[in-house]
Amino acid sequence: MRIVLGWVGAVVLLAGVLIGGVLVANATVFSASGFVRDYLGALAEGRVDEVLALPGVDVAGLDDRLLDPRAFTGVAAEVVSDEVRGQVHHVRVRVTGQTQGETVLEVTRVGTRFALFPEWGFAASPVTRLTVTPSGDARFTAGSLPVESWGGTPVTFAALTPALYTFGHSSRFLTADPVTVLARGGSADVALDIRPSDAFVRAVQAAVEADLTGCASQRILFPTGCPFGYAIENRVVSEPRWTIVEMPDATVAPSDRIGTWAVPGAEGVAHLSVEVQSLFDGSVSTLEEDVPFSAAYRIAFDGDAVVLAPALR
């Protein structure tokens, strides 16, 4: 009888231990907070496939290119609280490190594992609607991922939350100050100002000077395809000679179509020297005249070379 009672006691004790273990596991490892910690760990390590496979993660209707692990940087984050409202756990997460912030992830029970442990999923998708508007060029980078906005229009991306996204542009002729945003849910907007680099401005200035020098080499009163010329009423008796006495300082600005650039009107002065004969008395004299002009161009590229096309003149 004592042996039987001993076995019964052992079974009861073991059952108590097992039940206690299940309760502890449900309150920690298999809790809503535990689910969020697992999610944060996978996201910080860039295991995007695992993240996207979790119940409730939905990126429908959004551009999914930023789901690439190259597009974002994982962050150090910790669970700080779990508030239950109805059937939904509102798990507050704090991002630590150089970039700090908080977000709330909504989690709900979606089933049971092994008839003992709760299974969790997101009640609201942990995705930030991140709208990027580039100016100057449709191409940019998110992290190390090259991205292009079709036609330069704003693009609304799905950004996993929480994670850091840094947008920029760096090429031979264009640059942009990096813009970093912490995806923390809801919506966020990024304006990326892509502008000419110093190398681009120098290349355009050299191309403008070469074009105007070529104009000045033409021995006619109205050099072809050039921004200056001079009308003379008297008879011209020598070849006109042009020189550029004030070379324009070219500026580079976006044109009316994103991804293309232009030189707006740049002011300069050409000098004309030519011998003319008076129609009134037949006398011959040398005409010396400074001719102000404004040079405007459309900019194109031939490989790494800048090519100018005169704007309407």
Side-chain angles (χ1 to χ4, degrees):
M1 184 65 177
R2 290 179 181 177
I3 295 175
V4 172
L5 291 176
W7 276 106
V8 170
V11 170
V12 170
L13 179 61
L14 179 60
V17 170
L18 291 175
I19 292 172
V22 169
L23 293 176
V24 170
N26 284 345
T28 55
V29 177
F30 295 106
S31 66
S33 295
F35 170 79
V36 169
R37 289 189 186 94
D38 289 343
Y39 162 78
L40 294 174
L43 181 57
E45 295 176 5
R47 304 198 308 268
V48 174
D49 289 344
E50 293 181 27
V51 168
L52 295 178
L54 294 174
V57 179
D58 183 12
V59 299
L62 301 175
D63 192 304
D64 64 1
R65 284 178 288 173
L66 297 195
L67 300 179
D68 190 308
R70 294 174 295 170
F72 64 89
T73 302
V75 296
E78 59 184 7
V79 173
V80 294
S81 66
D82 180 357
E83 180 182 350
V84 182
R85 303 176 198 167
Q87 301 299 315
V88 178
H89 289 249
H90 295 257
V91 181
R92 184 171 297 277
V93 172
R94 178 179 298 140
V95 176
T96 59
Q98 288 187 333
T99 301
Q100 299 183 357
E102 288 192 353
T103 187
V104 174
L105 300 177
E106 298 181 18
V107 176
T108 189
R109 186 168 179 171
V110 296
T112 302
R113 292 182 180 179
F114 312 117
L116 294 173
F117 305 112
E119 186 174 3
W120 302 94
F122 288 102
S125 183
V127 168
T128 300
R129 295 174 57 89
L130 191 54
T131 301
V132 180
T133 304
S135 63
D137 199 273
R139 299 163 299 168
F140 56 94
T141 55
S144 61
L145 178 70
V147 185
E148 184 168 354
S149 163
W150 296 284
T153 57
V155 184
T156 300
F157 296 98
L160 294 171
T161 306
L164 278 179
Y165 291 82
T166 298
F167 301 92
H169 183 110
S170 180
S171 60
R172 180 178 179 184
F173 290 129
L174 299 174
T175 187
D177 293 331
V179 178
T180 299
V181 60
L182 173 63
R184 62 178 75 189
S187 299
D189 296 308
V190 172
L192 189 63
D193 179 24
I194 302 172
R195 61 187 185 277
S197 66
D198 291 342
F200 192 9
V201 175
R202 288 194 298 268
V204 169
Q205 180 67 36
V208 168
E209 292 180 7
D211 180 69
L212 294 176
T213 299
C215 286
S217 68
Q218 298 184 42
R219 301 297 188 227
I220 53 179
L221 290 176
F222 289 90
T224 304
C226 297
F228 53 80
Y230 193 77
I232 298 177
E233 294 182 355
N234 292 318
R235 181 179 294 115
V236 175
V237 295
S238 71
E239 281 191 338
R241 293 186 177 274
W242 291 97
T243 54
I244 306 298
V245 294
E246 291 185 19
M247 190 66 72
D249 290 326
T251 58
V252 181
S255 71
D256 55 358
R257 185 164 60 91
I258 193 166
T260 61
W261 299 84
V263 177
E267 306 302 318
V269 178
H271 182 81
L272 172 64
S273 178
V274 63
E275 290 186 355
V276 296
Q277 184 178 36
S278 172
L279 296 178
F280 177 70
D281 59 11
S283 61
V284 176
S285 61
T286 300
L287 173 69
E288 302 285 349
E289 188 72 28
D290 284 343
V291 181
F293 65 88
S294 178
Y297 301 89
R298 297 186 303 275
I299 301 173
F301 300 97
D302 182 8
D304 288 336
V306 170
V307 179
L308 300 182
L312 295 177
R313 292 171 175 168

